[in-house]
Amino acid sequence: MEDEAEIYDGIRAQFPLAFGKRQKSQTSLEAIHNSTRRSTAGAAASTASNSTNKTNEALPSLSSSSKAWLDSLRNSKSPNPNPNDSVIGPPRPPPGPVPDEDDEDVMVGPPPPPPGSGEDDDNDVMIGPPRPPVGPSSDSEEDEEENRYRIPISNEIVLKGHTKIVSALAIDHSGSRVLSGSFDYTVRMFDFQGMNSRLQSFRQLEPFEGHQVRNLSWSPTSDRFLCVTGSAQAKIYDRDGLTLGEFVKGDMYIRDLKNTKGHISGLTCGEWHPKTKETILTSSEDGSLRIWDVNDFKSQKQVIKPKLARPGRIPVTTCAWDREGKCIAGGIGDGSIQIWTLKPGWGSRPDIYIEKSHSDDITGLKFSSDGRTLLSRSFDGSLKIWDLRQIKAPLKVFDDLPNNYAQTNIAFSPDEQLFLTGTSVEKESTVGGLLCFYDCSKLELVQRVGISPCCSVVQCAWHPRLNQIFATSGDKSQGGTHVLYDPTLSERGALVCVARAPRKKSVDDFEAPLVIHNPHALPLFRDQPSRKRQREKILKDPVKSHKPELPITGPGHGGRVGSTKGSLLTQYLLKQGGMIKETWMEEDPREAILKYADVAAKDPKFIAPAYAETQPEPVFAKSDSEDEEK
């Protein structure tokens, strides 16, 4: 019995324990999120009090091997993150012996490199951002200050596909679908629910050929979206990217803008009404703002002409609704901000007029939820905060925010404790594209997050349901949408698609290339046609059935001349008079003509016989005798 059992076990070991389709090996969520974790250089934060911006921006240029080494150290030595405690910036130091109280070299950031790496083993050598200045404040107070804002920036994914900078961004209210528009004239649609870790868009649109996409906006019900391009006509699409219609273009030869049916120049901005799903707002370079009804694409509801110091056409660079949709703000090309309140019988006269708010074009406006505060962003590199109850001067001005794109905007956090904006990359600057976070109550810089070392940041958004931050970036050769999230703070969105691995190809997916075997299509395998049909086919061919030309029996010159009965003068002369001799190069033309003058007069052989039958008899006038006598 024991021998049989051993034989049975030996045979059983050669067969699998289960048959059928095997389950895929599941990758742990911790390993997945570790692969998307931002490097210590990209997630490093710098406050306004220290001067570590250059250091933080120089670190994104770490090599791939250094980043992989940092990730391996973090995965092997760092503890699992506590879901109740959100960390901003680099991870905490690994567990180890507690340093002495007298030791002041407490390291903040990832652990030092292993011995033998070519660097000093001293604790003063750090990888990542520099340690904060030593002061009376303790680490616990700093952690409380950082955890107060709970900014989800620990992990990052990038939605790619555009070949130029991404200038427009729109996330629907549920957070499942993202739109990105670019200077490459296309709009890409991303769906988090149907997307896997390859992060590919499911649809690409080109709204208007040769025109940049400048703004995108979802309707309040997220069933349609508005697309604003550099053309004079805005377009409406449904949720799946099918065109529903485009608004009419006005007559450019009409001087008064209120009499035109639509915009006559390129659009600059456009937004859907936050509450009403039939109303949208657009601004244009023709110097007007227009309110449209989505159900009627042929005419607008209202035309707004800004107040100007001198009559003319000054472009409206941007526009915005307030939270309730009762006020409209417009950034005018002369540097002013004008606000209109929607009420019965209202006209183009603004209710609030801020003259010379910025020294350059305004690129973004944003109302607070209570409607008392307005944020403005401009080409002059500043961000200003305005109290609409006291508009004589801004509450606060933040400078040193380079801006090179007309679509750079401002966004609020979901609880409106913070607001954020992006910066552009300058030519001779070592600082890349940043996201700058500011405190609304203290009106001070809280944090700077490096998005890209070489690309500018244009549009940004903080989605309230997903608790994820979106930032568009790019330059003349590339573009993408960066999605920042935290596995312990964010919901759905990027967490869904990152954890979904792409489907692997199996043996069942193999398809042999389709080959059509049709031997009779080749001339080698065709049946020879009968001689009768072959003759009929040859007779129908104009080339093969052409009658061969007869040989020339008479004189010819320069080809086959004289073989046919033509009516050309040259052929007639050849037949009647023989070969024409080429003596014109040796003789004088006048002498050659006079040589035949006497012969032609006595014996008209060449010209006169040709017209002998048709030439009428010449009748000469007889002279009057009276005239001769005189």
Side-chain angles (χ1 to χ4, degrees), residues 8-164:
Y8 176 76
D9 292 339
I11 296 174
R12 186 178 181 182
Q14 304 297 325
F15 291 92
L17 298 178
F19 293 93
K21 194 173 182 180
R22 298 183 181 180
Q23 290 185 347
K24 297 180 181 178
S25 59
Q26 299 292 334
T27 308
S28 64
L29 289 176
E30 184 179 358
I32 292 173
H33 293 312
N34 283 335
S35 63
T36 62
R37 184 174 292 274
R38 286 168 57 85
S39 63
T40 55
S46 65
T47 59
S49 59
N50 58 35
S51 60
T52 60
N53 297 335
K54 294 184 179 180
T55 307
N56 293 339
E57 291 306 318
L59 284 170
S61 60
L62 286 173
S63 63
S64 58
S65 59
S66 301
K67 291 182 180 180
W69 174 76
L70 285 173
D71 292 338
S72 63
L73 282 177
R74 189 184 302 111
N75 296 338
S76 59
K77 295 185 179 181
S78 59
N80 294 329
N82 187 2
N84 298 325
D85 187 12
S86 62
V87 181
I88 300 176
R92 293 174 179 169
V98 180
D100 297 335
E101 295 180 357
D102 297 333
D103 189 9
E104 295 180 356
D105 294 334
V106 178
M107 185 180 63
V108 178
S117 60
E119 299 182 4
D120 297 335
D121 294 335
D122 190 7
N123 288 337
D124 291 335
V125 179
M126 291 189 301
I127 297 176
R131 62 171 71 109
V134 179
S137 61
S138 61
D139 295 339
S140 60
E141 294 179 357
E142 292 180 359
D143 292 341
E144 290 177 1
E145 186 69 19
E146 291 179 350
N147 293 336
R148 172 190 171 188
Y149 302 109
R150 301 172 67 85
I151 305 176
I153 57 172
S154 62
N155 295 57
E156 176 186 16
I157 61 172
V158 183
L159 307 178
K160 297 181 180 180
H162 290 288
T163 57
K164 291 185 180 179

Side-chain angles (χ1 to χ4, degrees), residues 84 123 232 257 433 445 451 473 506 563 630:
N84 298 325
N123 288 337
L257 292 175
L445 178 64
I451 299 298
S473 65
S506 63
S563 62
K630 292 179 182 180

